[in-house]
Amino acid sequence: MNDQTLVELAILTTQQQYGASSTYLTDTLYIPVGAVLRGHAQLTAKQREKLRFLFTDYEWMLAQKIAVLAASDPDVRNVAWRYQDAKLQIAKKWLTSPLLATSYSKQPRANGTVSVHLQLRLQYGDHGLEDILDFVVSSQEAKQLQSDKLDLLTWTNQQIADNASSK
């Protein structure tokens, strides 16, 4: 597994969720971000487990797939873009499923602001199994999405286009 890729994806996730970057990983989770990114350290099993809880189960599986891809193909660059694009492409597919449910939640950030999370939940029958994709959206986007002024498919397509332009 490519620890550098996992740390890059964890930085992306903490920036989105907490409005912080590697500071959260270093100060709260005690992960030596700089050393891992430079290739001078590897994550311990305990550190990897801490990173795992930054993601939903489905996102963790996706992060691991991106890490394996990056490890097996040294030419793979911009793993954060690949991860975001994969999440958005999957969300676009899920939006066609009648089993999809959406929810919004607010989470306080350390800097006193609040992040709004849009969760797409794909349920698999009565077994209690579901996959979740979590997206941090602006308060304005959340209001538009909740009031149907902007449908989720249109929002997803906009995010895909924005992500492509940031590549």
Side-chain angles (χ1 to χ4, degrees):
M1 177 112 19
N2 187 333
D3 288 342
Q4 292 168 322
T5 300
L6 290 177
V7 168
E8 283 183 51
L9 297 177
I11 290 170
L12 171 71
T13 301
T14 57
Q15 284 173 337
Q16 293 171 340
Q17 291 182 3
Y18 304 109
S21 58
S22 59
T23 305
Y24 177 82
L25 298 174
T26 304
D27 297 347
T28 306
L29 300 183
Y30 307 108
I31 294 174
V33 172
V36 173
L37 291 178
R38 287 188 305 274
H40 298 306
Q42 289 187 331
L43 296 173
T44 65
K46 191 171 233 167
Q47 289 169 328
R48 200 173 284 112
E49 184 68 16
K50 287 179 182 181
L51 283 184
R52 185 264 164 272
F53 288 105
L54 294 173
F55 303 88
T56 67
D57 290 342
Y58 194 84
E59 290 168 340
W60 181 242
M61 177 270 311
L62 185 58
Q64 290 179 75
K65 284 186 173 192
I66 297 291
V68 168
L69 175 66
S72 63
D73 184 358
D75 291 334
V76 171
R77 290 190 173 83
N78 206 344
V79 293
W81 176 87
R82 283 183 181 273
Y83 174 78
Q84 257 329 87
D85 190 60
K87 268 180 66 172
L88 290 164
Q89 296 294 340
I90 292 164
K92 189 174 176 179
K93 297 266 191 234
W94 285 11
L95 287 170
T96 63
S97 172
L99 301 175
L100 182 75
T102 60
S103 63
Y104 296 89
S105 64
K106 294 181 179 179
Q107 190 174 53
R109 291 180 170 180
N111 64 5
T113 63
V114 174
S115 63
V116 179
H117 292 256
L118 161 62
Q119 288 192 336
L120 304 181
R121 298 172 174 270
L122 190 58
Q123 301 174 354
Y124 301 102
D126 297 331
H127 307 292
L129 300 174
E130 69 179 354
D131 286 329
I132 302 169
L133 289 174
D134 185 80
F135 295 94
V136 177
V137 298
S138 69
S139 296
Q140 181 182 355
E141 284 176 317
K143 287 177 187 174
Q144 288 178 332
L145 289 167
Q146 288 173 321
S147 67
D148 292 330
K149 290 180 184 174
L150 178 65
D151 68 39
L152 280 172
L153 191 55
T154 302
W155 178 83
T156 304
N157 286 332
Q158 287 173 346
Q159 296 302 309
I160 290 170
D162 291 348
N163 195 48
S165 67
S166 68
K167 183 182 177 185

